[in-house]
Amino acid sequence: MGIAAKRGVALALNSPEAFLAETQMPFSPLSSLRCALAAAYLLGLTSLAHAEKRELCFVLPLSGGQHPFGESIRRGAEFAKIEAQDCPGSDAPCALKETILTFEDHQGEPARAATAVRRLLQTNSCDGFVVFGSPPSLAVADILERAKKPTIAMGSTDKIQSGRQHIFRSMPSSLEATKPLVEEAVRRGLQKVASVSTEHDGMLANRDAFAAQRGSPFIKSVAVNPGETDFRAIAAQLNAAKPDGIFVTLMPQQASLFARQVRQVGYRGDLFS
């Protein structure tokens, strides 16, 4: 049986198939709700609910290893706008029906995010921004703060909004996100826990936060490149360590592959994500 964290609650997953379903859907079914709330908040902050024209700009990973996150957010935003067409009022989130949604791809790279934001500020009339990822959000925070653009940053580090008036972090911190998993692991009496993580600031922060709150180190911890898809050797190493559970902080497409491959080498313990 595996455990997944969603909506701040630890969920028990009764089969590998359930784990795969969760890890292949990084924001669904919350993507439309997440983006609708973000857009509504931004439009409210900028007092544009009654403006004739408004534009909400998204800077997301729409290609590269993190693209499932970006695509989920993009689809959610577009769906939220479709839903708003039948909204009777003009205040947010009904204002979404009159809002232009613009999307830029940062490919998961902070430098590309900064370039995209600077370009949008020069060429578009972005009234607010939504940026995904801690490193990209950090890279653009000062730029958007100077421009006084209300921004929803989908990242987990407190540094994103610290000392800034126009940047708002929408995700819980790594400590908050992993707390229910730690509590569930303790409740289940799991003593020996291993980990596998993507080499990514957010994923590694969650790994470290889990270990810190649990109060004991992982019996084995492995980090892989964002593009890695063959986990057979790593899976065999982790299985040989005989953990009671494996804490998985991989990109969604990687997590599903790892789950299959670690089961194929005979691991039958819990998976955490």
Side-chain angles (χ1 to χ4, degrees):
M1 183 179 290
I3 305 170
K6 182 171 283 191
R7 296 181 295 275
V9 178
L11 303 178
L13 304 179
N14 294 318
S15 67
E17 290 72 22
F19 179 83
L20 301 184
E22 288 292 324
T23 55
Q24 287 177 320
M25 298 168 62
F27 285 105
S28 302
L30 293 178
S31 55
S32 61
L33 173 61
R34 184 183 293 270
C35 288
L37 291 175
Y41 189 40
L42 285 169
L43 292 170
L45 283 173
T46 51
S47 301
L48 288 170
H50 300 286
E52 292 184 1
K53 182 181 179 181
R54 63 189 71 84
E55 183 175 7
L56 186 59
C57 295
F58 293 76
V59 184
L60 312 169
L62 299 174
S63 62
Q66 299 179 37
H67 79 275
F69 290 104
E71 280 299 319
S72 180
I73 297 167
R74 181 186 63 79
R75 290 194 299 268
E78 291 174 342
F79 182 64
K81 182 174 180 178
I82 292 172
E83 286 186 319
Q85 299 308 307
D86 296 326
C87 195
S90 59
D91 293 332
C94 295
L96 275 171
K97 61 186 175 184
E98 304 297 337
T99 300
I100 298 169
L101 303 181
T102 299
F103 301 91
E104 284 281 342
D105 180 15
H106 65 49
Q107 299 180 24
E109 299 178 12
R112 288 182 181 273
T115 299
V117 165
R118 291 191 181 98
R119 181 170 57 249
L120 287 168
L121 289 173
Q122 292 177 353
T123 62
N124 291 59
S125 301
C126 301
D127 300 297
F129 282 79
V130 175
V131 183
F132 178 82
S134 292
S137 295
L138 285 169
V140 305
D142 284 339
I143 301 171
L144 293 170
E145 181 70 14
R146 287 194 297 269
K148 298 182 178 180
K149 295 293 184 179
T151 299
I152 296 295
M154 293 183 171
S156 58
T157 174
D158 292 334
K159 296 179 181 178
I160 293 171
Q161 83 277 16
S162 179
R164 301 183 175 99
Q165 297 181 348
H166 302 279
I167 314 298
F168 304 89
R169 179 168 56 88
S170 69
M171 289 184 173
S173 68
S174 295
L175 289 174
E176 294 168 334
T178 55
K179 182 179 179 180
L181 286 174
V182 173
E183 293 173 346
E184 182 67 13
V186 171
R187 187 186 70 81
R188 293 181 181 223
L190 303 181
Q191 300 296 318
K192 299 187 298 180
V193 178
S195 76
V196 57
S197 308
T198 302
E199 288 280 5
H200 174 273
D201 286 6
M203 301 300 180
L204 297 176
N206 284 343
R207 177 201 66 186
D208 295 344
F210 180 90
Q213 292 185 90
R214 188 167 171 268
S216 59
F218 295 110
I219 61 170
K220 188 171 185 60
S221 183
V222 181
V224 301
N225 293 324
E228 185 62 70
T229 58
D230 185 351
F231 299 99
R232 288 173 295 181
I234 290 172
Q237 293 173 22
L238 292 171
N239 187 46
K242 300 186 183 303
D244 302 318
I246 300 175
F247 184 45
V248 182
T249 54
L250 295 168
M251 293 298 179
Q253 69 277 18
Q254 292 182 303
S256 58
L257 290 171
F258 172 78
R260 290 191 182 97
Q261 293 173 28
V262 77
R263 292 305 190 202
Q264 288 170 356
V265 300
Y267 176 70
R268 294 294 179 265
D270 284 347
L271 296 172
F272 296 81
S273 181

